[in-house]
């Protein structure tokens, strides 16, 4: 009786599939890393910190403004004689225009943090344009006249967003000191302050969120950070002022 032999797998095809899978996984991983990179994007200018020998740091505060906490933060900054850069969302500025105007009136800088605070890494062109331009209009309506820097929600970007920013002459501002990204630090005001004080250096851009109820630890850390960095000899400036001290 004739017995038909069992077909042997085509190892060459199997190898091609394995290689293709590895390439796809590497591509996905690469795109993921690119989307969250703090110091690199495919188009335009991105600034995570400024190269300067002068003892200057920029305090940047994201999200808001909010009715419950923004004025408390402003009063604290006034009491410490600190000017900060607020990266605000267009929606919240439209909802609280008087607060946005008060930030400007007190001499702080306002940056664009998108309109809806959505992840913009895979967002289409028309939506990207609307998110940015609508927020710029809210910033101008608040009375701010300086250059408007942009900070993407969650720090995420990929292709369309940086391309649009580059085509419209906008600079992306990220950060190099972010204590809230560490779960063992984010809920402890003293730990937040200690992290910033120890890790800040000349030209650092510090990121904090202080305008929501969930950020009580960061609000409590804010005066400790200011006092601690001043003890180290640092001065607080806005992002625009820090950029003017960029070493050539």
């Amino acid at each position: 009786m004739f017995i038909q032999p069992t077909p042997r797998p085509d190892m060459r095809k199997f190898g091609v599939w394995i290689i293709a899978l590895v390439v796809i996984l590497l591509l996905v991983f690469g795109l993921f890393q690119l989307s969250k990179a703090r110091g690199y994007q495919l188009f335009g200018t991105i600034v995570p910190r400024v190269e300067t020998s002068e003892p200057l740091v920029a305090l940047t505060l994201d999200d808001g403004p909010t009715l419950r906490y923004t004025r408390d933060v402003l009063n604290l900054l006034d009491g410490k004689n600190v000017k900060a850069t607020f990266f605000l969302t267009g929606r919240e500025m439209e909802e609280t225009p008087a607060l946005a105007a008060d930030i400007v009136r007190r001499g702080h800088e306002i940056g664009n943090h998108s309109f809806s605070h959505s992840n913009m890494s895979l967002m289409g062109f028309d939506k990207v344009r609307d998110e940015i331009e609508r927020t710029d209009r809210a910033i101008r309506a608040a009375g701010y006249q300086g250059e408007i820097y942009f900070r993407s929600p969650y720090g995420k970007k990929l292709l369309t967003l940086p391309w649009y920013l580059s085509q419209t002459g906008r600079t992306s501002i990220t950060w190099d000191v972010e204590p809230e990204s560490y779960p063992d630090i984010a809920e402890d005001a003293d730990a937040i302050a200690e992290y910033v004080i120890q890790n800040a250096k000349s030209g650092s851009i510090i990121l904090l969120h202080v305008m929501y109820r969930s950020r009580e630890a960061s609000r409590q850390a804010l005066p400790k950070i200011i006092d601690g960095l001043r003890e180290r000899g640092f001065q607080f400036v806005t992002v625009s002022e820090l950029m003017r001290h960029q070493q050539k």
Side-chain angles (χ1 to χ4, degrees):
M1 182 176 65
F2 175 75
I3 299 176
Q4 185 174 357
T6 302
R8 299 181 61 184
D10 189 332
M11 297 305 294
R12 287 174 300 180
K13 289 184 179 180
F14 180 73
V16 169
W17 279 107
I18 290 296
I19 292 172
L21 179 60
V22 170
V23 169
I24 291 170
L25 290 174
L26 288 174
L27 178 60
V28 170
F29 179 76
L31 290 174
F32 173 73
Q33 294 298 318
L34 176 62
S35 74
K36 66 175 187 174
R38 300 290 176 259
Y40 177 77
Q41 61 187 22
L42 291 176
F43 308 101
T45 302
I46 185 169
V47 179
R49 63 178 304 274
V50 168
E51 292 296 333
T52 179
S53 59
E54 299 185 51
L56 305 174
V57 295
L59 177 64
T60 66
L61 306 174
D62 279 16
D63 305 339
T66 62
L67 290 172
R68 174 62 183 86
Y69 295 108
T70 297
R71 284 212 168 91
D72 290 344
V73 172
L74 289 171
N75 291 337
L76 169 63
L77 295 175
D78 282 352
K80 296 289 186 180
N81 193 28
V82 168
K83 301 304 180 190
T85 300
F86 288 74
F87 283 95
L88 304 178
T89 69
R91 175 174 291 146
E92 287 169 303
M93 280 189 285
E94 287 187 358
E95 292 171 351
T96 58
L99 282 176
D102 196 23
I103 292 171
V104 176
R105 183 183 63 79
R106 299 197 198 202
H108 301 287
E109 181 172 40
I110 296 183
N112 186 321
H113 198 36
S114 83
F115 185 82
S116 65
H117 202 276
S118 301
N119 187 330
M120 299 178 71
S121 57
L122 298 178
M123 196 173 280
F125 177 85
D126 289 341
K127 181 63 173 173
V128 165
R129 178 176 59 192
D130 182 67
E131 288 276 335
I132 294 173
E133 300 297 344
R134 191 172 177 183
T135 303
D136 268 10
R137 290 194 294 271
I139 292 172
R140 294 305 186 202
Y144 182 71
Q145 299 299 316
E147 180 175 357
I148 300 175
Y149 294 105
F150 181 82
R151 174 173 285 168
S152 58
Y154 316 105
K156 297 295 181 64
K157 70 273 177 292
L158 202 52
L159 298 174
T160 306
L161 174 58
W163 184 84
Y164 184 82
L165 294 171
S166 70
Q167 293 301 301
T168 54
R170 292 173 166 89
T171 298
S172 291
I173 301 296
T174 54
W175 55 85
D176 67 323
V177 180
E178 182 196 12
E180 298 160 336
S181 62
Y182 303 96
D184 57 330
I185 293 175
E187 301 302 322
D188 185 321
D190 289 333
I192 291 172
E194 181 180 2
Y195 180 90
V196 175
I197 293 166
Q198 290 184 353
N199 287 279
K201 51 191 174 183
S202 294
S204 279
I205 299 175
I206 301 162
L207 168 61
L208 289 172
H209 299 78
V210 294
M211 284 181 279
Y212 295 119
R213 184 172 64 177
S214 61
R215 298 296 189 171
E216 180 62 29
S218 294
R219 279 191 298 278
Q220 292 180 6
L222 187 54
K224 302 171 190 278
I225 290 169
I226 293 170
D227 293 343
L229 288 178
R230 278 182 168 158
E231 287 178 5
R232 286 189 59 199
F234 286 107
Q235 301 175 46
F236 289 88
V237 295
T238 64
V239 168
S240 290
E241 292 169 327
L242 190 63
M243 295 283 280
R244 288 197 285 271
H245 289 84
Q246 174 82 47
Q247 290 179 342
K248 304 299 184 181

